[in-house]
Amino acid sequence: MDKEVKLETRIIKNDPSNLFCWKWIRPPTGRTLSELNRLCDLLNGFSYENGETDKWAWNLHPSETFYTSVLTKLLDEKILPNANMSFETARLHLLPQKIGILIWRVMQERIPVRVELDKRGVDMDSVRCPVCDDDIETAEHTFLHCEFAKDIWSRIFRWWGSNRHMYSCLGDMFKGDIGGSKSKLWQSIEWVCGYHIWRNRNLTLFQRKRGNGPMALNEVQIKSFEWISKRVRKCSFEWSQWLINPSSYDDQV
């Protein structure tokens, strides 16, 4: 719950020392207290002719009251004016929230691939892909052009029963479009596949444990079955059927 930060002060009437009587939700400390003392020094000796109660006014909100939630929104609008927010940030109800967070970061190009780290001044030995070493590591390369990614996507398409083998660009991925139609089940499998591509990248980079296509396909099949079957109540998933023809459950999720 957002807490209102209330700043109010008044001058005690007819007080020759012109003392302030402050009302704080939290007493100021550290740098805030130092700035407050400097402000008091600046106002020392200042007289109010009308004798009315004085208060702080925050001009960025109609109520003239400071709210942290309003300030956060203003900062986001100022700092991130060109952010691509067209991709839905809501998670798929068929998968854990952590999967949706990762995929959103991928589509916004906010994952720590080596090119992005290099832009931010992180000192690295190389910006090449740690999995295939064929090109520099960007988000598009990691999830689309890396040999491991191309292999797993090809296997996933075949498992679904599609004659497609690859995506043309990063923007085509993770949206659930298959054969010209939208499928929540296929989108869930796409997201799980993206999760395992990123997981394989991290295992390769940090633990020197590189996976392979058959192993990755098996992991996607197991985890997608585990997550989706537990969240769909209106039908019963059979493991054997899931391995043979996952698209047969498309109309039941």
Side-chain angles (χ1 to χ4, degrees):
M1 179 181 297
D2 288 330
K3 294 183 178 180
E4 176 185 340
V5 180
K6 191 175 183 182
L7 308 178
E8 183 178 342
T9 184
R10 61 185 175 84
I11 296 179
I12 302 176
K13 294 181 179 180
N14 303 320
D15 189 329
S17 63
N18 200 24
L19 296 176
F20 288 90
C21 179
W22 301 93
K23 292 172 62 178
W24 302 94
I25 289 180
R26 287 194 309 270
T29 59
R31 187 176 68 178
T32 303
L33 180 59
S34 175
E35 292 176 351
L36 175 63
N37 291 333
R38 288 201 299 269
L39 175 63
C40 290
D41 291 339
L42 290 173
L43 295 177
N44 186 31
F46 184 81
S47 61
Y48 293 83
E49 296 180 358
N50 54 18
E52 296 181 356
T53 300
D54 180 52
K55 68 176 184 179
W56 299 109
W58 197 54
N59 295 330
L60 297 181
H61 193 266
S63 69
E64 296 188 337
T65 303
F66 175 82
Y67 295 93
T68 55
S69 59
V70 176
L71 179 59
T72 299
K73 182 179 179 181
L74 291 173
L75 289 174
D76 287 344
E77 292 174 352
K78 183 68 176 179
I79 297 173
L80 306 172
N82 299 318
N84 177 20
M85 302 303 291
S86 61
F87 188 76
E88 295 180 3
T89 58
R91 68 171 185 171
L92 285 175
H93 71 281
L94 300 176
L95 299 175
Q97 187 175 8
K98 66 177 182 179
I99 308 300
I101 293 173
L102 171 65
I103 300 305
W104 181 84
R105 293 180 66 193
V106 173
M107 298 305 294
Q108 299 299 322
E109 297 189 27
R110 295 182 182 178
I111 56 172
V113 291
R114 288 181 164 183
V115 165
E116 296 301 324
L117 293 174
D118 182 65
K119 289 179 181 178
R120 287 159 176 77
V122 179
D123 187 21
M124 294 174 296
D125 295 336
S126 172
V127 295
R128 299 186 69 82
C129 174
V131 178
C132 67
D133 198 35
D134 286 339
D135 204 345
I136 59 174
E137 188 191 37
T138 63
E140 184 164 303
H141 172 82
T142 299
F143 291 90
L144 189 60
H145 301 304
C146 177
E147 288 300 323
F148 177 83
K150 290 192 291 186
D151 185 23
I152 183 58
W153 282 119
S154 177
R155 293 175 185 275
I156 293 294
F157 278 117
R158 289 201 303 269
W159 173 48
W160 182 266
S162 171
N163 57 7
R164 190 173 183 176
H165 298 286
M166 188 49 57
Y167 293 102
S168 59
C169 65
L170 190 62
D172 291 339
M173 304 169 71
F174 308 128
K175 295 187 176 182
D177 296 323
I178 186 73
S181 60
K182 187 85 170 179
S183 167
K184 281 293 183 184
L185 183 60
W186 170 249
Q187 186 176 27
S188 299
I189 293 174
E190 285 180 313
W191 287 26
V192 176
C193 183
Y195 168 78
H196 279 283
I197 289 175
W198 185 246
R199 182 173 181 272
N200 175 76
R201 177 263 188 193
N202 289 335
L203 288 175
T204 303
L205 179 59
F206 299 113
Q207 299 183 26
R208 308 300 180 187
K209 296 180 180 179
R210 179 177 176 178
N212 54 55
M215 182 186 301
L217 173 62
N218 186 247
E219 291 176 349
V220 172
Q221 291 171 328
I222 293 174
K223 297 306 292 187
S224 59
F225 178 84
E226 175 186 338
W227 286 328
I228 295 172
S229 63
K230 288 181 178 179
R231 289 168 171 79
V232 177
R233 304 296 184 183
K234 59 184 179 181
C235 74
S236 177
F237 281 68
E238 296 292 337
W239 173 243
S240 58
Q241 178 66 16
W242 180 254
L243 287 178
I244 297 172
N245 186 15
S247 61
S248 62
Y249 293 102
D250 198 19
D251 296 331
Q252 303 180 52
V253 298

